């Protein structure tokens, strides 16, 4: 059973001047419900598939992971955006800090993990230098099967594998669309182990598909628990998504421009990055569903407590009142450590305090300081961090974001704005069919020397 | 000699509807110059010291690093905010990806690096599990000497050291204020090796003080080159800071809310975090210097290309026109790799292309796509990434941010907004003298069950 709560005290009128009064709470829950009903319809029609992932059988994934256990020292995941951010969130939350520096046996025979996301030569080079081809499993992930960064990095890594190992195909897994795309065609022709992303599950909603689950399982994480958490959220706590959506809709309507997610734990740092993609790509839209030009969307901002009290908090408290804050509190921090002796009596007050206690005190202090400055905040409180809770939290936000988008009559499941840049890049790379874009590029990309200083 | 340029083509009228025309360029350079003159005065008076750091002698630091070389397998830096972000930027840019996974000899005898910033028990536990006390050097950094997170983490680490090694003091360096504070008192009493942060150098401007240089030198980086880059910027290219400041001032006055820094390389990811602190803490201010309440400040946003083309770009292009973009381009990527064979003829167009080329094409494509959407951007172009360039770029931004702040008549060197939260935390922790804050906390921090869902 979960123990996750959503606390909206500091976003309601009784605490905060700009907060929702009790009539508004109902009114905005109704608005959230409009979004939710639209989402339900899309799910029922089969257009949107991420909520159904909680019912999938996991045996083929766990059996595959079991078969590979102990055979590889390194797992290199080649993927970008929706194909890597979910996994990074999982790894950051659930594996030890400095995991890749542990020995094979300290890791329980599970591989180290490397994420080849960017086409950054330096990063790719050092991943290859850190790994031995003979001891490496390469997991290449692209929903479309043709993501240019992923295909490029994979080509480099494939060559690296082929030059050193006899059967490179035993060192590769593909995760892609069941039918379409280059990767599928190639994996079929070459009889490569392949897992599929359901057609109705988009990249940023794919963490509970093989995209997130296969690598997580290879790393020894309990993916069944993750799915159980996600499932329990849907079964018993949708109300939390409605309340959270209601608050976000309210402040978007009030003109707040920035949505800050600030977990008070370093373990959810990458979770916040995952959330930023989910929010930005789902809600930043030029047109609504009726084709009206609206340039919609607020900007997600990642922040990690207590670190960013020494970085962003000054702006949060004293800058413009244009941000809504969502804190995440962990009640019981794993491996919490008490300060039992202190170096100087000046800090005697720390004696007997634990690091986790201190971290949570700092959160309460920040909550109150922001409240006093009339800045709205909500807080998600979880008892601990584990597979179950992470699954729960991810599904919670995968409901919240589309609910907000659908209420505002935009399509939270597409990303038309990224096409133009892709087309220019294809043109510059010389892909056939994109010659027009070279011309357009040459006409538009004019740089005058006088403006280069 | 450097080869760093600032390209403002896509922020001027000839390219962009909302850009500056030639009269405005002059007008806003004059405004930037007002900020610059104020900065000069503060520097001349000795109130502000960061520009003078380029004239410091480095021998004592490099000699110290030389003395320690080969003696430790691990370096744990205990510090947060201004005491860690600069170092993280340096490590991310200049050390290999996966550096901590390399062997002692692959690292040339230099230690692995761990940053104990957050009071996150899980993180601290795993740092301790990864390291052996006998083989570890702990570098504790706090300008004030009393930062609660740093002191707490250090107390835990000090106990860990003391229980295992005979002379813990041989495993500790302190970097702090020359006179004041707990750390200075303690390091003096216990005869611990100590380096000083000049009084007139604040945390977020301290990367060229021992705060950044001592750990960098211990890691084998050429700190003299870093300083040389910073010095050359001041000596020969202040004009770039004025132009960049002019653009930022213009768009702040136009009401743009968000300042995006988007390097197209994973190596400058942490540089962007460092920049976000610099921008947010320097410019987010409730009062101007005359005490007028203004709630000033725009929000910095970190983004990394090409990764965030699959995350934030959709919002950048199709969301509200409220962002100014600063790209960083690296002309020559280290260890660039050509794609010489491809897995399928469908991707033949990639043959002969290098990863670095691809990355830069994607940048040009994004620049143009944003320009076409009438979104203002500037670009900093550097030939390569090394100590010299990193030093140069850091000093460039350390000039730009105060110039912007001083032009707008705010104090970019304080951070009064973080005090209230600190005081509540001290109260909650039971520090003597903060009893009033417990009362205030209890009165303000009221949570009603009905708002916890």
């Amino acid at each position: 059973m979960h123990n996750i709560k959503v606390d909206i005290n500091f976003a309601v009128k009784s605490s905060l001047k700009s907060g929702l009064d009790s009539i508004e709470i109902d009114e905005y829950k109704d608005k959230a419900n409009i979004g939710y009903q639209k989402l339900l319809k899309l799910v029922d029609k089969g257009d949107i598939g991420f909520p159904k992932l909680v019912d999938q059988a996991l045996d083929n994934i766990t059996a595959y992971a079991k078969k590979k256990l102990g055979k590889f020292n390194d797992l290199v995941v080649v993927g970008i955006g929706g194909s890597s951010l979910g996994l990074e969130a999982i790894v950051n939350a659930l594996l030890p800090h400095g995991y890749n520096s542990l020995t094979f046996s300290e890791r329980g025979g599970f591989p180290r993990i490397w994420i080849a996301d960017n086409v950054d030569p330096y990063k790719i080079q050092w991943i290859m230098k850190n790994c031995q081809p003979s001891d490496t499993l390469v997991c290449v992930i692209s929903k479309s099967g043709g993501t240019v960064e992923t295909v490029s990095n994979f080509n480099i890594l494939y060559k690296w594998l082929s030059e050193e190992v006899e059967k490179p195909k035993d060192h590769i897994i593909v995760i892609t669309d069941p039918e379409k795309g280059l990767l599928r065609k190639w994996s079929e022709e070459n009889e490569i182990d392949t897992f599929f992303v359901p057609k109705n599950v988009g990249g940023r909603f794919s963490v509970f598909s093989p995209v997130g689950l296969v690598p997580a399982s290879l790393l020894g994480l309990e993916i069944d628990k993750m799915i159980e958490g996600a499932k329990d959220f849907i079964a018993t706590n949708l109300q939390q998504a409605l309340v959270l959506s209601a608050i976000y809709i309210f402040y978007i309507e009030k003109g707040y421009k920035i949505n800050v997610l600030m977990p008070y734990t370093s373990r959810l740092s990458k979770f916040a990055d995952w959330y930023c993609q989910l929010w930005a790509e789902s809600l930043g839209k030029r047109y609504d569903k009726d084709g009206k030009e609206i340039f919609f969307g607020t900007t997600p901002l990642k922040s990690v407590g207590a670190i960013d009290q020494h970085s962003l908090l000054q702006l949060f408290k004293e800058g413009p009142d244009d941000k809504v804050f969502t804190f995440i509190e962990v009640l019981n921090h794993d491996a919490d450590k008490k300060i039992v002796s202190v170096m100087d009596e000046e800090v005697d007050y720390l004696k007997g305090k634990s690091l986790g206690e201190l971290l949570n005190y700092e959160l309460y202090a920040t909550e109150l300081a922001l409240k006093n400055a009339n800045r709205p905040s909500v807080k998600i409180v979880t008892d601990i961090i584990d597979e179950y809770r992470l699954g729960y939290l991810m599904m919670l936000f995968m409901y919240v974001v589309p609910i907000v988008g659908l209420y505002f009559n935009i399509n939270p499941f597409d990303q038309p704005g990224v096409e133009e840049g892709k087309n220019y890049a294809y043109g510059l790379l010389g892909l056939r069919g994109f010659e027009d874009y070279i011309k357009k590029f040459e006409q538009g990309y004019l740089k005058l020397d006088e403006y280069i200083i």
Side-chain angles (χ1 to χ4, degrees), chain A:
Chain A
M1 266 302 296
H2 83 95
N3 193 358
I4 292 179
K5 296 284 179 193
V6 172
D7 172 359
I8 62 163
N9 268 284
F10 289 177
V12 300
K13 204 85 189 171
S14 54
S15 287
L16 196 84
K17 228 189 312 172
S18 73
L20 294 81
D21 63 31
S22 52
I23 295 167
E24 285 166 331
I25 293 174
D26 289 339
E27 186 188 329
Y28 277 84
K29 276 204 278 193
D30 288 347
K31 292 187 179 194
N33 196 43
I34 291 171
Y36 173 61
Q37 295 303 327
K38 289 186 187 177
L39 177 60
L40 272 193
K41 258 188 217 157
L42 292 169
V43 175
D44 285 348
K45 276 201 293 175
D47 291 352
I48 295 303
F50 74 87
K52 298 288 185 201
L53 293 172
V54 300
D55 298 322
Q56 72 191 300
L58 300 172
D59 320 24
N60 57 339
I61 297 177
T62 48
Y64 179 80
K66 209 169 171 185
K67 210 173 66 187
K68 297 288 181 187
L69 177 60
K71 294 198 178 133
F72 296 100
N73 191 52
D74 289 283
L75 170 63
V76 177
V77 171
V78 190
I80 194 166
S83 299
S84 64
L85 288 165
L87 176 64
E88 287 202 86
I90 291 170
V91 164
N92 175 217
L94 302 175
L95 293 183
H97 181 74
Y99 173 76
N100 273 6
S101 299
L102 299 175
T103 63
F104 187 73
S105 73
E106 283 170 337
R107 298 192 313 265
F110 296 105
R112 302 188 296 182
I113 171 73
W114 305 90
I115 312 239
D117 48 3
N118 211 357
V119 276
D120 185 320
Y122 193 75
K123 188 172 190 176
I124 301 303
Q125 168 194 244
W126 280 106
I127 290 175
M128 292 190 295
K129 285 202 183 175
N130 264 291
C131 304
Q132 294 296 328
S134 57
D135 224 6
T136 299
L137 182 63
V138 173
C139 175
V140 51
I141 308 179
S142 166
K143 172 82 196 295
S144 70
T147 312
V148 66
E149 294 89 349
T150 302
V151 170
S152 299
N153 279 332
F154 181 60
N155 273 302
I156 299 275
L157 286 162
Y158 184 68
K159 181 161 180 282
W160 172 77
L161 274 179
S162 308
E163 282 171 356
E164 294 281 332
V165 305
E166 221 169 288
K167 290 186 179 171
K169 68 177 228 176
D170 293 348
H171 293 253
I172 298 170
I173 337 170
V174 167
I175 300 174
T176 190
D177 186 272
E179 293 164 17
K180 284 185 200 159
L182 167 67
L183 265 181
R184 179 58 196 128
K185 182 180 137 199
W186 182 81
S187 81
E188 203 164 17
E189 281 171 11
N190 293 278
E191 295 177 326
I192 308 280
D193 291 327
T194 304
F195 288 87
F196 300 120
V197 194
K199 289 192 152 311
N200 58 4
V201 174
R204 59 188 177 272
F205 295 92
S206 69
V207 66
F208 296 129
S209 80
V211 170
L213 298 184
V214 169
S217 190
L218 286 164
L219 292 165
L221 297 168
E222 299 189 75
I223 60 171
D224 54 329
K225 299 253 168 78
M226 215 179 293
I227 292 292
E228 197 189 325
K231 192 169 186 164
D232 279 3
F233 160 73
I234 297 177
T236 60
N237 282 285
L238 280 171
Q239 192 57 26
Q240 293 178 341
L242 291 173
V243 168
L244 215 47
S245 306
I247 306 279
Y248 293 157
I249 292 169
F250 177 79
Y251 284 104
I252 290 172
E253 287 194 352
K254 280 217 159 197
Y256 283 67
K257 302 288 180 212
I258 296 166
N259 183 294
V260 180
L261 183 64
M262 190 172 186
Y264 263 69
T265 165
S266 291
R267 296 175 71 180
L268 295 179
S269 169
K270 297 283 182 182
F271 178 83
D273 285 321
W274 170 84
Y275 171 78
C276 287
Q277 185 210 23
L278 186 65
W279 184 276
E281 214 168 49
S282 301
L283 300 182
K285 297 291 149 82
R286 179 171 176 179
Y287 299 104
D288 72 9
K289 284 176 143 193
D290 302 320
K292 199 177 139 199
E293 191 172 68
I294 51 172
F295 293 115
F296 183 83
T298 65
T299 299
L301 187 71
K302 164 197 175 168
S303 181
V304 175
I307 296 174
D308 288 333
Q309 293 185 196
H310 301 265
S311 167
L312 302 172
L313 180 61
Q314 168 67 33
L315 173 71
F316 291 168
K317 186 159 177 288
E318 299 215 324
D321 180 18
D322 58 2
K323 299 173 187 71
V324 183
F325 300 90
T326 303
F327 296 110
I328 303 179
E329 175 179 3
V330 181
L331 288 176
N332 304 303
H333 292 271
D334 254 9
D336 201 3
K337 270 222 149 1
K338 275 210 165 106
I339 299 169
V340 291
S341 61
V342 292
M343 56 200 257
D344 189 284
E345 58 184 23
E346 209 179 296
V347 285
D348 246 359
Y349 70 98
L350 293 173
K351 235 186 241 173
K353 304 295 185 309
S354 75
L355 292 185
E357 242 175 301
L358 172 55
L359 190 52
N360 290 354
Y361 281 160
E362 295 206 54
L363 166 54
Y364 310 147
T366 299
E367 276 183 275
L368 183 54
L370 287 178
K371 186 198 117 174
N372 290 346
N374 198 34
R375 309 295 156 107
S377 72
V378 297
K379 185 167 72 168
I380 296 168
V381 184
T382 180
D383 50 351
I384 58 170
I385 295 180
D386 65 0
E387 281 90 339
Y388 181 97
R389 274 75 179 175
L390 188 65
Y392 186 105
L393 290 171
M394 288 182 132
M395 193 56 101
L396 168 63
F397 281 112
M398 284 198 283
Y399 268 74
V400 165
V401 173
I403 287 173
V404 171
L406 290 167
Y407 168 72
F408 283 110
N409 194 35
I410 57 152
N411 181 353
F413 300 110
D414 65 359
Q415 53 281 335
V418 304
E419 293 306 318
E420 186 183 355
K422 270 192 206 172
N423 293 337
Y424 289 130
Y426 285 138
L428 290 168
L429 288 164
L431 179 56
R432 226 169 331 175
F434 289 82
E435 293 78 5
D436 276 7
Y437 280 94
I438 308 178
K439 247 182 266 165
K440 279 192 205 166
F441 182 84
E442 280 165 0
Q443 283 159 9
Y445 197 84
L446 293 177
K447 300 269 187 168
L448 304 177
D449 282 348
E450 57 176 310
Y451 297 126
I452 300 177
I453 295 96

